[in-house]
């Protein structure tokens, strides 16, 4: 119930294409869902986050789609660029657990020029 | 604004030795986290501090791991004795408070246990 399942494990996209990464969770008490981006040798950095009271949030080329009934959420990267090549982690947390982040297993994205 | 600082960046030790990691969070951040990131996996929370009190240490292997945050600022994480399976990157993060706030991560310490 504490798990966040992320797919795919790796993704290759051509420059200008759309990258889509999916996550699923079981615990309906989760109420905060961030996405983190990690470059090699660096710590993760927050990309975008969503609360379950909205179905979509967009920031620039990055969009989170959230399906509360299906307990799924996804990250869409529009017009993918080689600089987007990184590992992406979804996460979930809840208030009664001090908003401790439970991370997915990560998706390694490669954007080909 | 300076980010989260960690040292050392790399450490290689033999099994059964001890090791310590240091973290300096962003100034003014009340909440500090230590995560373990095994290669190919997402970070796993080891311990969360609010100021100098422990909020969550449910996943900290307390028989060998210890952490402290004196004066509510810097923090150290210690492993004694280390096992092969402790090989990982240890990430420190901080946030303004506990809650649905952005966590700022340091670059991590890569530990190799031989």
């Amino acid at each position: 119930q504490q798990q966040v399942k992320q797919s795919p494990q790796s993704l290759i996209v051509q420059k200008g294409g759309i990258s889509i990464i999916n996550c699923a969770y079981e615990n309906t008490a989760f109420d905060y869902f961030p996405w983190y981006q990690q470059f090699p040798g660096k710590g993760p950095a927050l990309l975008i986050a969503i609360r379950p009271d909205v179905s979509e949030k967009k920031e620039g080329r990055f969009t989170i789609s959230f399906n509360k009934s299906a307990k799924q959420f996804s990250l869409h990267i529009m017009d993918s660029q080689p600089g987007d090549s990184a590992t992406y982690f979804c996460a979930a947390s809840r208030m009664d657990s001090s908003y401790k982040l439970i991370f997915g297993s990560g998706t390694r994205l490669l954007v080909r020029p | 604004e300076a980010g989260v600082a960690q040292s050392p960046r790399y450490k290689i030790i033999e099994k059964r030795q001890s090791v310590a990691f240091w973290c300096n969070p962003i100034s003014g951040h009340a909440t500090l986290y230590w995560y373990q990131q095994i290669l190919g996996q997402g970070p796993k929370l080891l311990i969360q501090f609010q100021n100098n009190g422990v909020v969550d240490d449910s996943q900290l292997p307390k028989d060998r791991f210890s952490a402290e945050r004196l004066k509510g600022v810097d923090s150290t994480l210690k492993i004694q004795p280390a096992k092969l399976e402790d090989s990982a990157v240890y990430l420190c993060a901080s946030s303004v408070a506990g809650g649905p706030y952005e966590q700022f991560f340091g670059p991590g310490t890569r530990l190799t246990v031989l």
Side-chain angles (χ1 to χ4, degrees), chain B:
Chain B
E1 177 181 87
V4 176
Q6 289 189 248
S7 68
R9 291 296 314 276
Y10 305 91
K11 190 73 176 179
I12 300 174
I13 61 173
E14 300 281 335
K15 61 182 179 182
R16 291 188 290 273
Q17 287 186 324
S18 62
V19 64
F21 313 127
W22 173 81
C23 173
N24 182 230
I26 292 173
S27 177
H29 280 194
T31 308
L32 185 146
Y33 312 81
W34 282 102
Y35 290 87
Q36 180 191 57
Q37 186 174 24
I38 293 172
L39 186 65
Q41 298 182 18
K44 181 183 81 171
L45 180 71
L46 293 175
I47 189 167
Q48 176 182 345
F49 291 95
Q50 180 72 20
N51 297 308
N52 61 349
V54 175
V55 174
D56 187 325
D57 63 357
S58 58
Q59 298 190 98
L60 186 74
K62 298 179 186 65
D63 58 333
R64 299 184 299 106
F65 286 63
S66 64
E68 60 181 8
R69 189 184 185 195
L70 300 176
K71 301 181 182 178
V73 182
D74 292 6
S75 178
T76 55
L77 176 69
K78 296 179 182 179
I79 308 175
Q80 182 179 10
K83 292 185 175 181
L84 297 178
E85 59 261 38
D86 298 332
S87 293
V89 174
Y90 290 85
L91 295 162
C92 179
S94 69
S95 63
V96 292
Y101 305 110
E102 179 174 1
Q103 293 186 23
F104 294 84
F105 284 80
T109 297
R110 181 176 296 276
L111 173 67
T112 301
V113 183
L114 302 176

Side-chain angles (χ1 to χ4, degrees), chain A:
Chain A
Q1 274 230 327
Q2 280 287 77
Q3 275 190 318
V4 177
K5 295 182 180 180
Q6 184 172 348
S7 63
Q9 191 173 29
S10 61
L11 182 61
I12 300 175
V13 173
Q14 288 298 125
K15 179 182 175 182
I18 302 173
S19 303
I20 302 174
I21 304 170
N22 301 298
C23 283
Y25 63 97
E26 287 295 322
N27 193 331
T28 56
F30 286 137
D31 62 2
Y32 176 65
F33 301 88
W35 284 89
Y36 278 79
Q37 179 189 54
Q38 186 175 29
F39 292 104
K42 305 288 187 182
L46 181 66
L47 197 59
I48 186 171
I50 197 168
R51 302 296 293 264
D53 52 343
V54 297
S55 61
E56 186 175 282
K57 183 174 181 180
K58 183 176 181 179
E59 289 184 3
R61 296 185 293 109
F62 301 91
T63 300
I64 298 179
S65 297
F66 188 84
N67 186 329
K68 189 173 181 178
S69 60
K71 292 184 284 185
Q72 295 176 345
F73 58 110
S74 59
L75 176 69
H76 291 64
I77 305 174
M78 311 300 289
D79 187 26
S80 298
Q81 299 296 313
D84 296 331
S85 297
T87 300
Y88 293 81
F89 294 95
C90 63
S93 65
R94 63 186 208 264
M95 184 176 68
D96 62 354
S97 188
S98 303
Y99 286 103
K100 171 174 70 178
L101 288 177
I102 308 297
F103 282 89
S105 54
T107 296
R108 181 174 287 187
L109 172 65
L110 176 63
V111 181
R112 293 197 188 280

